[in-house]
Every structure is written in C-alpha cells, then in structure tokens.
Amino acid sequence: MGNTSPRVLVSLLLNTLLCCGQTLDPVLTVEPNWSTFYVGEFVTFICDMNEGRDTDCQYRLIRNDQEFVCFQSDKRFRVGPLYTDYSGEFQCCRQWRGPSYEKCSKTVPVTVSDKPRPKLAAGPTTIPVGGSVTLSCSVEPSAGWKYRWFRRTSDSSFVEFSRNNEENREITVTQGGIYKCDGKRGNSSFYSHSSLENKIEIMFSNKVFVTRQPNWPLVFSGESITLTCEVQGGETTEWTCEWRRTGSIIHKTDSKDWTFIVSESSSGNYMCQCRSRDDWYSSTQRSETIRLSVSNKPGAKLTAGSTTIPLGGSVTLSCSVEPSAGWKYRWFRRTSDTSFVEFSRNNEENKEITVTQGGIYKCDGKRGNPSFYSLSSLENIIEIIFSNKVFVTRQPNWPLVFSGESITLTCEVQGGETTEWTCEWKKSWSLIHKTDSKDWTFNVSESSSGNYMCQCRSRDDWYSSTQRSETIRLSVSTDKPGAKLTARSATIPVGGSVTLSCSVEPSAGWKYRWFRQTTGTSFVEFSRNNEENREITVTQGGIYKCDGKRGNPSFYSHSSHENNIEMMFSNKVFVTRQPNGSHIFSGESITLTCEVQGGETTDWTCDWRRSGSIIHKTDSKDWTFIVSESSSGNYMCQCRSRDDWYSSTQRSETITVTVSSSSHLVLLISGPVVGFILIILLVLLCFCRRSKGLFCSRCKASESSRNDGVNQAGGHEYSSPLQEVTPTYAEINHQARANRKKKGSPAATNKTVYSGIRSGAALHVDSAM
C-alpha cells in the first residue's frame, strides 16, 4: 500500500462506500411477519439495505447479543423448525473486509410458543327445520390462519368437508353430527392441534305420520304388511327409522318402509321416528300412532247355482272370504283321475265365474304382495250331461266280417268333432272296453258277434258325459273265405292274351293279389299296385293263383286253386341238319337244329321226337349226336321259352334221317384208272382189318402220335413209300367231321370230304340199307 497514490486510495474508498452502503445501517425483517411463532414452524430473517449494492458483503444473524448464524453471503436466514428456546431479540450484521466495516440492524423480538389448539364455538345446537347453525374456529393470539373443518357420525370417522382456500373461520351447517376444526398457516403448511369435538343435534319439525299397505281394516295372521314412516317434505331424503309398539322400540330399518309378516302378537299401536341415513344427529319428531288388528287365517266359501248343466248351458260359481276386503279368487277343478288344477290365472277379481265343464270345484282367496292365501273352500261336484246325438259307425262297413279281421268302431258325437273323448263300449249292455278316443280297433272272433253301443266323456272332464248311442249289429263268420280264379281260356293263342278273374264271395271290399310260377320257380306276386285287380290280362303261360285282401292291417283270404295257362306260339318251326347229305353212316356225327322262324333271340329248351316219341331234350335249338343204325327215323321238334315252360311253339314238320352201314358202299367209277385204284384201296383196307400184319402195325404206330395223322373219329391215315395211297370213304368221312367241328361250314365240310378223292372218280352213298 505504501506505493499507492492518494488518488487510488480515494477511488477505492468511494467504491467501498458505494458497494456496501456504508453510510446506512441494515434493516432486519421477518417473514412471515407474525409476532408469535409456534414450535415446528419456520421463519425467514432478511438483512436488507435501504440503498446501495450488496456486492462482496457478508451477513450474520445475532440472537440476544450472541451469534446465532455465522457469516454467509446470502442476506436471507431460514430458521426452523422452531423450538420454544428460540424466542428472543434478533438482529443482523453485515461487513466488508473485516470487523472495522461491520454495521448491525436494530433488534426484532421473536416469540416461539407451543403448538396451539383452536377453539370451536357454535350457536344453538338444535336447528329448526330448514334452519342452520354457525360454527366458529380461532387460534388466539396469532394471525395468518386458515381453518379446516371435520365432521363424523357415531358410525363413521372424521371427514374433512371444507377444502377450498378460504379462511373458513366461520361456516354454516345444516346437518347434525360431531364437529371439530384445526388451523393451518405458512407456505409449507403448519397445522395447529384440533379443537375439541362439538356435538350438533338437529331436530326436524316436519310432520311425521304412519301409513300402511295394504290398508285393510282387518289383517290375518300370516299376511305381509308394509308400514311406512312418512316425513312430510322429506321425500327425497334417505331415512333410517325406528319403530315402536306400545312405547317400546321393536325394529329399525334403513328406509321409511318396514315390511313384515303379521301374527296374532302383532296387534297394537305403532309409531315411528326417522333420522337422516347419513346423519344420525338429525332426527324427526315421533309420529302419531296407528292401530293394527290381526286375526286368524280365514276360509273361502263356494256357492253354485246348479249342480247339473244342460247341453250348451253353464253354471255360475261364486267365491267369497268374509268379513274382509281386497281379495282376488283362484279357482281349481279336478276329475276323479286327476289332481286339482288352477284354471283362472288372470288378474281379475274372479269372485264369480261361469263354467261349462263338470268336475269337482273349489276356490280360495288371495291378496297382498307377496300373495296371502285364505283357506280353500269345500269341494263342490258339478255334473254335465250332453244332449248331443250319439251313434256308432264302423270301418270297414262290410255286411259280413270274418274271424281274424280288424275292424274299427267309432262313437260319433254329433257336433263334438273337436272334442277329445274317452269312450266306453258295451255289448249286450255289458261294459267290455274303454278307449281314450272315439275309435276302437280290434280283431274280431266268433265271440265278437253282437249288438254294440257306446257312451263318451270329455277326456279332461270325467263329470261331463254324452247319452248312450243306439246299438249296431256286428256279424262275424268263423270260416275264412277262399278266392276263386276263373279264366276265359286255358290256352293263349300266339300274340293273344287271356283274362283271369278272381273273386271272394259273399263279401265286399276285396283287392286281389296275383301269383305266377313255372315248373322251375316258386310262385311270384306280379301285381303290386293298389288297384282292385279283380280282373287281369296275361300274355304269358304258367301256373296262376290269386287271393283277396282287405282292411288295414290287411286280412287275406285263402288262395284260389292253381290254374294252368298254356301259350302256343304260331311261329313256323322246321328242322335242319348238318351235314345235309342224303346218306349218313353209322358212327358218324350229325347235328339237328330246331329253327323257330323269328325266334332267333329267344333262349329255347327243345323236345325231340322220333316216330312220335320224345327221345331227347336240349337247352338249345341244336342237338349233336353219333348215329347208329337204330337212329334212322322221322324227327320233329317243339321248343319252349327257357324261362316260361308254359309258352311253347308248335311242332315242326318231320325230317327223315337214314343211317347206312359202311359195308354197303357202292362205288361209281367214272374212269377205269380211278376205279382200279379204289378197288386196290378197298382190298388193302379189308386186309388190314382181317390181319395183324406189318401194315396194320404201322397204322397202330401212327396212332401213338396224333400230330402225325390221327383224326377225331378214330380213323387212320396211311403212308406208303409211294405216298399215293388213296383214303377209304370212312377215312374221308371222319376227316370231314373233324373239319366241320373246326370250321362249322357245310362248304368247308364238302370240300374236306372230297379233297382226298382223285379227279376222275365219284363217291355215292346209297340211302338203302
């Protein structure tokens, strides 16, 4: 500093004075500016300057001349929470560069007391109807308070009910209850103790009276009744009410209504008093009394105009419960087979009803909600006799019925078609059957003959019946009838037909069944439609029979006798043969064919006759056989359709078959050379047959291999060194038959027969033996 010039020192001093406001003392202020603080609160001391800047200054807080808060750069001192020993005289000091530059404020007194308890004060504790009471809360001596208010009832905890930011020092309430309050102040709210509780009772001056529902002058033990505590002008309030009988509390309800079942002990005088449901400290006055009289359960009484109802008429039944009011009546009916059934369920009074059905009737009364029922009346029997005409019909209505048939008798009630009936049937005045309808279906027997009558009752009303019907006669025959079959002709011409008739006499209502068989089949029914089929037209032969059926289920007659119907085709029939030569020799094969002109597509079974006698039957038109000398004769055939043995053709004309022995061959030599060769061959053949030489051995050797020359007829081919051996006629014939079997052609056959014969020679077969 020794080298510092005076001008610099002056400048620094001026700056210091300007900076710290050295010319003025600091001022200590308190926030909040209350004279009294309470334990737990906070206070802020502010060491402020009236002018000048605070740069580079430090501050401290002093209580009762002792440093309370040491130097800090902030001029604000927040102190708390406070205790009672914090009370005292506070001042603040500031300095710059040391104690020589420190200045202190004047002292400010601060008092710290224990947490306060507010005081709650109320005007009157009884509020007239529609009125209110003013409640006050205060914390003295202090300032800055806002107040919170709390209310509870005996059944609840305290609930704050004033949450706005007003001071709320005074409030107006219209509900009774237990009230208290407390105070709060400061930014971070500080709360006082709560006030003492204060009970506020409210008595409503509204008129209170008792009503009852139903409001009958006489109530019966077991009935339900509702008493209501009516608070005039308090319809929108929810109430809790106390009920007294003869001065004693007997019941509490959470509403104005009390519903209970009465007994004889329930008689008495009733009064009520109500409190608001959420305010047990707000109550009405007590009501005036109401009288309740209870009697034993009553009985109903039934009266009827008449116990017998004519056809189409009715009877009036009346029911009453005396002496009392407000009843609606229930009616019940039963028959001897049923239980009572309620039949009047509408919501009318039903004191009187009109009935058209007989039965056993009774009634009772009901009233109230839930319904209370009286004792039932005595039972009353109502009988109904219908005058409708009743008659018996039968189906089928045949004059004669056969034992085993089914018949339906119907008890017809004129004008009663829509009614469901239960009917009794009598034969010769004895009850023999009951049905749950008008119809009675049964199988008759000999004992069923007799006179029948019926009487019906309505199915749901055994006490309502018809008169008895007149009788109807039923005649039953024990002999089962037989059917009779007649035919206009026993033979059907070709393309024609025959009419067959079936009848069952003496009776009616029959439909007929027709059956046909052939010798290889059983009878088969061939008319299955639902027509009468009394007459039918047939175009096939066979064995026919019929029977009759009628009724439902069907009753069948005996079958008729069987009747053979033959059918004769007019197609021309002729016999062909293969081969068709004039002569045939014993041992040869021949095929006879029974040709039916126009019957190529039919499967036939054919009879073959020789000299008038049947000698063979085939399942086709063809008959192939090996002839012998005895096969000669006149042949004819007759065919039948394979599936219809009773449909046949006419007999064919005859064809003559002549069989010759092989030793009777006559050779006609057309040339000397050929004749000579044939003679040599015949000699060799005879020689082979009569000796067992080398040549015949070669023939047998050739027989071991058929591929080397054996034909199917057992003949032999011979080979010689010359390869020029001429075959015999028998060999040629055997070869021809083999070729016919392979090729089936007459042309091929003839070609084969004569292919082995050299040119210039001819073979002739003599037809004479």
Side-chain angles (χ1 to χ4, degrees):
M1 295 279 303
N3 294 328
T4 303
S5 64
R7 292 183 64 182
V8 173
L9 292 174
V10 172
S11 177
L12 290 172
L13 180 60
L14 289 174
N15 286 334
T16 300
L17 292 174
L18 290 172
C19 177
C20 296
Q22 190 69 17
T23 58
L24 296 174
D25 292 334
V27 176
L28 180 63
T29 59
V30 180
E31 289 184 357
N33 189 19
W34 299 319
S35 59
T36 303
F37 292 88
Y38 297 98
V39 172
E41 285 191 288
F42 286 82
V43 63
T44 300
F45 296 96
I46 304 172
C47 194
D48 205 357
M49 294 291 296
N50 288 330
E51 60 181 44
R53 293 180 298 176
D54 296 335
T55 307
D56 296 332
C57 294
Q58 289 189 334
Y59 304 87
R60 64 181 179 140
L61 185 64
I62 297 172
R63 180 179 65 85
N64 297 334
D65 296 328
Q66 292 183 358
E67 188 174 65
F68 188 73
V69 180
C70 62
F71 281 106
Q72 62 180 35
S73 59
D74 190 356
K75 64 181 179 180
R76 301 174 67 89
F77 298 90
R78 179 171 171 80
V79 179
L82 301 176
Y83 299 97
T84 54
D85 55 359
Y86 282 11
S87 298
E89 297 290 333
F90 285 83
Q91 66 179 159
C92 69
C93 297
R94 62 182 177 172
Q95 64 174 250
W96 179 78
R97 291 191 179 183
S100 59
Y101 295 100
E102 184 177 61
K103 287 289 185 179
C104 295
S105 68
K106 294 180 179 180
T107 61
V108 174
V110 173
T111 302
V112 179
S113 301
D114 290 329
K115 182 181 284 191
R117 182 178 299 277
K119 180 182 179 183
L120 189 154
T125 57
T126 300
I127 303 174
V129 62
S132 61
V133 66
T134 299
L135 305 181
S136 308
C137 192
S138 61
V139 180
E140 300 294 347
S142 56
W145 294 98
K146 293 181 178 179
Y147 296 94
R148 298 188 305 171
W149 290 90
F150 303 88
R151 175 183 175 273
R152 74 174 176 88
T153 66
S154 57
D155 297 330
S156 67
S157 301
F158 276 106
V159 176
E160 183 179 357
F161 63 92
S162 62
R163 293 183 177 275
N164 55 35
N165 202 29
E166 301 297 326
E167 183 179 343
N168 291 322
R169 180 181 179 86
E170 290 187 351
I171 62 170
T172 299
V173 296
T174 57
Q175 283 183 309
I178 301 173
Y179 289 84
K180 69 177 182 178
C181 65
D182 64 16
K184 71 173 183 176
R185 67 179 186 178
N187 290 331
S188 55
S189 296
F190 170 77
Y191 295 93
S192 70
H193 288 299
S194 294
S195 68
L196 297 176
E197 298 176 2
N198 200 327
K199 184 185 293 185
I200 306 297
E201 291 278 353
I202 297 178
M203 182 67 70
F204 297 113
S205 61
N206 305 50
K207 184 179 179 180
V208 181
F209 54 94
V210 177
T211 61
R212 67 179 185 183
Q213 188 63 33
N215 191 20
W216 299 311
L218 186 60
V219 184
F220 299 100
S221 181
E223 280 196 283
S224 176
I225 193 169
T226 298
L227 300 182
T228 301
C229 193
E230 299 285 358
V231 181
Q232 199 171 47
E235 292 78 5
T236 60
T237 302
E238 292 185 338
W239 300 101
T240 296
C241 299
E242 291 178 345
W243 291 90
R244 296 171 182 260
R245 185 176 68 222
T246 317
S248 300
I249 294 177
I250 57 170
H251 189 68
K252 287 185 179 181
T253 65
D254 283 337
S255 70
K256 300 182 299 178
D257 302 320
W258 175 28
T259 301
F260 59 100
I261 305 296
V262 300
S263 63
E264 290 184 63
S265 62
S266 301
S267 296
N269 295 318
Y270 288 78
M271 65 169 55
C272 67
Q273 182 180 28
C274 293
R275 298 178 184 273
S276 178
R277 189 179 300 174
D278 58 354
D279 179 13
W280 196 249
Y281 298 87
S282 299
S283 63
T284 66
Q285 298 175 348
R286 290 181 184 173
S287 70
E288 295 181 356
T289 60
I290 187 173
R291 180 67 184 171
L292 185 63
S293 298
V294 181
S295 298
N296 290 327
K297 179 181 280 193
K301 180 181 179 182
L302 187 153
T303 57
S306 172
T307 57
T308 301
I309 304 174
L311 175 71
S314 62
V315 65
T316 299
L317 305 181
S318 299
C319 194
S320 61
V321 179
E322 302 296 344
S324 56
W327 296 97
K328 293 180 179 179
Y329 295 93
R330 300 189 304 169
W331 290 90
F332 302 87
R333 174 183 174 273
R334 73 172 177 89
T335 66
S336 57
D337 298 331
T338 65
S339 302
F340 275 106
V341 177
E342 183 179 356
F343 63 92
S344 63
R345 294 184 176 275
N346 56 34
N347 202 32
E348 301 298 325
E349 182 180 344
N350 292 320
K351 184 178 179 70
E352 290 188 350
I353 62 169
T354 300
V355 296
T356 57
Q357 284 184 309
I360 303 173
Y361 288 85
K362 70 176 181 179
C363 67
D364 63 19
K366 71 172 183 177
R367 68 179 188 179
N369 186 13
S371 296
F372 170 76
Y373 298 94
S374 73
L375 298 174
S376 295
S377 67
L378 297 177
E379 298 176 2
N380 202 324
I381 297 176
I382 306 297
E383 289 280 351
I384 297 177
I385 295 295
F386 298 116
S387 62
N388 306 48
K389 183 177 180 181
V390 182
F391 53 93
V392 178
T393 62
R394 69 179 185 182
Q395 187 63 32
N397 191 21
W398 300 312
L400 185 61
V401 184
F402 297 98
S403 182
E405 281 197 282
S406 177
I407 193 168
T408 298
L409 299 182
T410 300
C411 195
E412 299 285 357
V413 182
Q414 199 170 47
E417 293 78 5
T418 61
T419 302
E420 292 185 340
W421 299 100
T422 295
C423 298
E424 292 179 345
W425 291 91
K426 295 188 177 187
K427 187 179 77 176
S428 303
W429 295 95
S430 296
L431 180 64
I432 59 172
H433 190 67
K434 285 185 180 181
T435 66
D436 282 337
S437 70
K438 300 183 298 180
D439 302 320
W440 174 28
T441 301
F442 60 99
N443 289 330
V444 299
S445 64
E446 187 178 3
S447 62
S448 301
S449 296
N451 295 317
Y452 290 78
M453 66 170 55
C454 66
Q455 182 180 26
C456 294
R457 298 179 184 272
S458 178
R459 190 179 301 175
D460 58 354
D461 180 13
W462 197 248
Y463 294 84
S464 300
S465 63
T466 66
Q467 298 175 347
R468 290 178 182 170
S469 71
E470 295 181 356
T471 60
I472 186 172
R473 180 69 183 171
L474 183 64
S475 298
V476 180
S477 174
T478 58
D479 296 329
K480 188 173 187 177
K484 181 181 178 182
L485 187 154
T486 59
R488 294 183 182 177
S489 173
T491 302
I492 306 174
V494 62
S497 62
V498 67
T499 298
L500 306 181
S501 299
C502 194
S503 62
V504 179
E505 301 296 344
S507 55
W510 296 97
K511 293 181 179 179
Y512 296 94
R513 300 189 303 170
W514 291 90
F515 303 87
R516 174 181 176 271
Q517 73 159 158
T518 64
T519 54
T521 66
S522 301
F523 276 104
V524 176
E525 184 178 356
F526 64 91
S527 62
R528 293 183 177 275
N529 56 33
N530 202 32
E531 301 297 326
E532 182 181 343
N533 291 320
R534 182 180 180 86
E535 291 189 350
I536 62 170
T537 300
V538 296
T539 57
Q540 282 184 307
I543 302 173
Y544 288 85
K545 71 176 180 178
C546 66
D547 64 19
K549 70 172 183 178
R550 69 179 185 180
N552 186 12
S554 296
F555 172 77
Y556 296 94
S557 72
H558 290 299
S559 295
S560 68
H561 294 301
E562 299 173 4
N563 201 326
N564 288 356
I565 304 298
E566 293 281 347
M567 183 167 66
M568 186 69 71
F569 296 115
S570 63
N571 306 47
K572 183 176 181 180
V573 183
F574 54 93
V575 179
T576 61
R577 70 179 184 182
Q578 230 10 69
N580 194 21
S582 302
H583 292 277
I584 188 167
F585 298 95
S586 180
E588 281 193 291
S589 175
I590 191 172
T591 297
L592 300 183
T593 300
C594 194
E595 299 286 357
V596 182
Q597 196 172 48
E600 292 79 3
T601 60
T602 303
D603 288 333
W604 299 101
T605 295
C606 299
D607 292 340
W608 291 91
R609 295 173 183 262
R610 186 177 66 219
S611 303
S613 299
I614 294 176
I615 59 172
H616 189 67
K617 289 187 179 182
T618 63
D619 282 337
S620 70
K621 301 183 296 179
D622 300 322
W623 175 28
T624 300
F625 59 97
I626 304 297
V627 300
S628 65
E629 291 184 38
S630 63
S631 301
S632 296
N634 295 320
Y635 288 79
M636 66 170 54
C637 65
Q638 184 180 25
C639 293
R640 298 179 184 274
S641 178
R642 191 176 299 172
D643 59 353
D644 181 10
W645 196 248
Y646 293 85
S647 299
S648 63
T649 66
Q650 299 175 352
R651 292 181 184 174
S652 70
E653 296 182 357
T654 61
I655 185 172
T656 301
V657 175
T658 302
V659 181
S660 300
S661 173
S662 59
S663 59
H664 293 167
L665 289 174
V666 178
L667 296 176
L668 298 179
I669 306 301
S670 61
V673 177
V674 174
F676 176 76
I677 293 171
L678 290 176
I679 291 171
I680 293 173
L681 290 174
L682 291 174
V683 171
L684 290 175
L685 178 61
C686 292
F687 177 77
C688 183
R689 288 179 177 176
R690 295 177 182 177
S691 66
K692 301 296 181 179
L694 176 62
F695 188 78
C696 291
S697 299
R698 291 184 61 191
C699 291
K700 291 181 179 179
S702 66
E703 195 174 313
S704 63
S705 176
R706 295 186 180 274
N707 293 333
D708 293 334
V710 179
N711 64 25
Q712 294 179 0
H716 307 279
E717 293 183 0
Y718 307 97
S719 61
S720 68
L722 298 177
Q723 300 292 318
E724 292 286 338
V725 179
T726 302
T728 65
Y729 181 83
E731 291 174 315
I732 293 171
N733 193 42
H734 281 298
Q735 183 64 36
R737 286 198 305 271
N739 289 337
R740 282 201 306 271
K741 290 181 180 180
K742 291 180 181 180
K743 297 183 180 181
S745 167
T749 302
N750 294 336
K751 182 178 180 181
T752 303
V753 169
Y754 299 105
S755 63
I757 303 178
R758 294 174 179 268
S759 61
L763 179 64
H764 177 72
V765 179
D766 190 358
S767 61
M769 292 297 294

